[in-house]
C-alpha cells in the first residue's frame, strides 16, 4: 500500500496485519525460486530462505497494447494504454474502455485506471458513444480493499502517496470494520453496498478525537494537488461514496478540511 497510503498509515496498517498472524518481511526482495520436491524455496536478497507450499505473486498488470503496432494506434508514453479522448475514442469510429486505455478525465486530467467499477462504467459509455451519444467520461470510479476483518477502505480519485495528504480521524466503534459491513448487509462487494447506500446528514457538534491507543481506527484522508482535493480514502468508513464524489466535483480550495470531513459524519455512534 506504499503507493496509496501516507507513511504513518502504512506503518499502523502493517502492525494490524501482523496481529492477524501475517509475517510481514520488509526491505527484502525475492532473488530466486526453486522447486524442492513438492515445495517451493524462495531465496531473498537478505540471505534468508522461505519454504512455501504455494506462492501468490501480486505485482499488478500491464495493459496489452499489441494491437497498437498493427493498427497504428497511439499509446500514452506516461501512463501506458491506448490514448483516447474524453469520449473514449482512439480515432474515428474506434473506442476503447477499461484498464487498457488512457483517457482524459475532465476533472483530473489524463489518467489510466485499473479498477472494476471503471471497467464497467467506461465499457457502458463506450457502447453508448458507438451509437452516437457523444458523452464525455466524467464518472469518478471507486475502488476498495479489505486488509483483514478489522481494516478496510474505499477510495476515489487520484490517491497517490506522493501527493500532500490531510487525514481526519475519529474514534472507531465495533461497526466500523469490513466484517461488520458484510454481516449487516450480507454483501461482500463494496461497490454494490455503495450503490444501495442511503444519504447521510453532516455531523454537528464537537467531534471526539481518537485516543492514542485507537489511533487510526477510522477517518477520511484527503489527497491534494495545488490545494484542491483530487482524491479521497475513506478509512473504515463505508457507504459514503456519494459524499466523496460531491467533494471532488466541487474542485474547491477548502480552508479547513476538518469541516469537510463533517460531511462524511464519521463521528456518529
Amino acid at each position: 500500500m506504499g503507493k496509496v497510503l501516507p507513511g504513518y498509515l502504512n506503518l499502523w496498517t502493517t502492525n494490524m496485519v501482523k496481529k492477524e498472524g501475517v509475517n510481514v518481511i520488509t526491505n527484502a526482495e525475492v532473488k530466486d525460486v526453486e522447486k524442492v520436491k513438492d515445495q517451493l524455496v524462495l531465496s531473498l536478497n537478505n540471505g534468508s530462505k522461505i519454504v512455501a507450499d504455494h506462492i501468490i505473486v501480486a505485482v499488478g498488470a500491464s495493459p496489452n497494447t499489441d494491437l497498437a503496432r498493427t493498427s497504428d494506434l497511439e499509446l500514452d508514453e506516461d501512463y501506458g494504454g491506448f490514448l483516447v479522448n474524453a469520449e473514449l475514442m482512439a480515432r474515428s469510429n474506434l473506442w476503447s474502455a477499461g484498464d487498457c486505455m488512457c483517457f482524459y478525465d475532465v476533472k483530473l486530467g489524463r489518467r489510466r485506471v485499473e479498477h472494476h467499477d471503471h471497467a464497467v462504467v467506461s465499457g457502458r459509455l463506450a457502447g453508448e458513444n458507438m451509437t452516437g451519444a457523444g458523452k464525455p467520461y466524467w464518472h469518478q470510479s471507486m475502488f476498495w480493499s479489505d486488509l483483514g476483518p478489522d481494516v478496510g477502505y474505499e477510495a476515489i480519485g487520484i490517491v497517490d502517496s506522493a501527493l500532500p495528504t490531510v487525514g481526519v480521524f475519529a474514534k472507531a466503534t465495533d461497526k466500523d470494520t469490513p466484517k461488520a459491513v458484510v454481516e449487516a448487509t450480507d454483501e461482500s462487494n463494496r461497490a454494490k453496498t455503495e450503490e444501495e447506500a442511503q444519504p447521510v446528514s453532516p455531523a454537528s457538534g464537537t467531534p471526539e478525537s481518537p485516543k492514542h491507543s485507537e489511533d487510526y481506527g477510522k477517518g477520511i484522508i484527503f489527497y491534494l494537488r495545488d490545494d484542491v482535493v483530487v482524491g479521497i480514502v475513506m478509512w473504515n468508513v463505508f457507504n459514503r461514496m456519494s459524499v466523496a464524489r460531491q467533494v471532488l466535483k466541487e474542485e474547491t480550495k477548502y480552508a479547513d478540511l476538518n469541516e469537510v470531513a463533517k460531511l462524511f459524519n464519521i463521528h456518529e455512534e
Side-chain angles (χ1 to χ4, degrees), residues 5-18 26 216:
L5 302 176
Y8 65 89
L9 202 51
N10 275 325
L11 293 174
W12 185 85
T13 306
T14 299
N15 290 330
M16 292 292 290
V17 171
K18 287 180 177 178
T26 59
Y216 310 113

Side-chain angles (χ1 to χ4, degrees), residues 63 76-81 99 102-103 109-112 114 225:
D76 187 271
E77 296 181 356
D78 295 323
Y79 300 104
D99 300 23
C102 180
F103 66 101
R110 188 152 292 282
R111 303 173 65 195
R112 190 175 72 83
E114 299 178 358
R225 188 170 63 190

Side-chain angles (χ1 to χ4, degrees), residues 50 76 205 218:
I50 299 174
D76 187 271
K218 72 172 179 177

Side-chain angles (χ1 to χ4, degrees), residues 35-237:
K35 186 176 182 180
V36 179
K37 294 183 179 180
D38 292 330
Q39 291 184 307
L40 297 165
V41 180
L42 286 74
S43 298
L44 306 185
N45 62 349
N46 60 11
S48 63
K49 293 182 180 292
I50 299 174
V51 179
D53 296 316
H54 303 281
I55 299 174
I56 298 175
V57 183
V59 293
S62 298
N64 185 344
T65 56
D66 292 346
L67 184 65
R69 291 197 298 268
T70 57
S71 303
D72 296 326
L73 296 177
E74 188 175 0
L75 301 178
D76 187 271
E77 296 181 356
D78 295 323
Y79 300 104
F82 300 112
L83 190 68
V84 302
N85 61 17
E87 296 177 8
L88 310 186
M89 181 182 288
R91 68 183 186 206
S92 297
N93 300 319
L94 182 63
W95 288 260
S96 180
D99 300 23
C100 68
M101 60 88 173
C102 180
F103 66 101
Y104 181 75
D105 186 320
V106 295
K107 290 287 185 182
L108 303 177
R110 188 152 292 282
R111 303 173 65 195
R112 190 175 72 83
V113 178
E114 299 178 358
H115 301 301
H116 178 265
D117 180 44
H118 164 70
V120 171
V121 178
S122 65
R124 184 182 300 126
L125 180 68
E128 290 181 14
N129 285 345
M130 287 178 188
T131 65
K135 297 179 181 178
Y137 185 63
W138 56 264
H139 176 72
Q140 291 299 330
S141 60
M142 61 90 71
F143 67 96
W144 60 275
S145 181
D146 292 341
L147 307 177
D150 298 322
V151 179
Y153 70 89
E154 298 177 1
I156 189 173
I158 300 176
V159 286
D160 184 344
S161 59
L163 292 173
T165 62
V166 175
V168 180
F169 294 89
K171 180 180 179 180
T173 66
D174 291 339
K175 66 180 180 179
D176 298 316
T177 66
K179 181 181 178 181
V181 173
V182 173
E183 291 178 343
T185 61
D186 196 30
E187 175 58 66
S188 59
N189 186 340
R190 202 83 74 246
K192 291 185 178 180
T193 59
E194 281 293 347
E195 289 178 358
E196 300 170 358
Q198 299 299 315
V200 296
S201 300
S204 58
T206 304
E208 181 180 0
S209 299
K211 299 181 178 63
H212 178 69
S213 60
E214 296 163 340
D215 287 331
Y216 310 113
K218 72 172 179 177
I220 307 295
I221 301 96
F222 300 99
Y223 293 72
L224 307 175
R225 188 170 63 190
D226 298 328
D227 297 324
V228 175
V229 177
V230 295
I232 297 174
V233 165
M234 294 174 286
W235 189 252
N236 272 350
V237 175

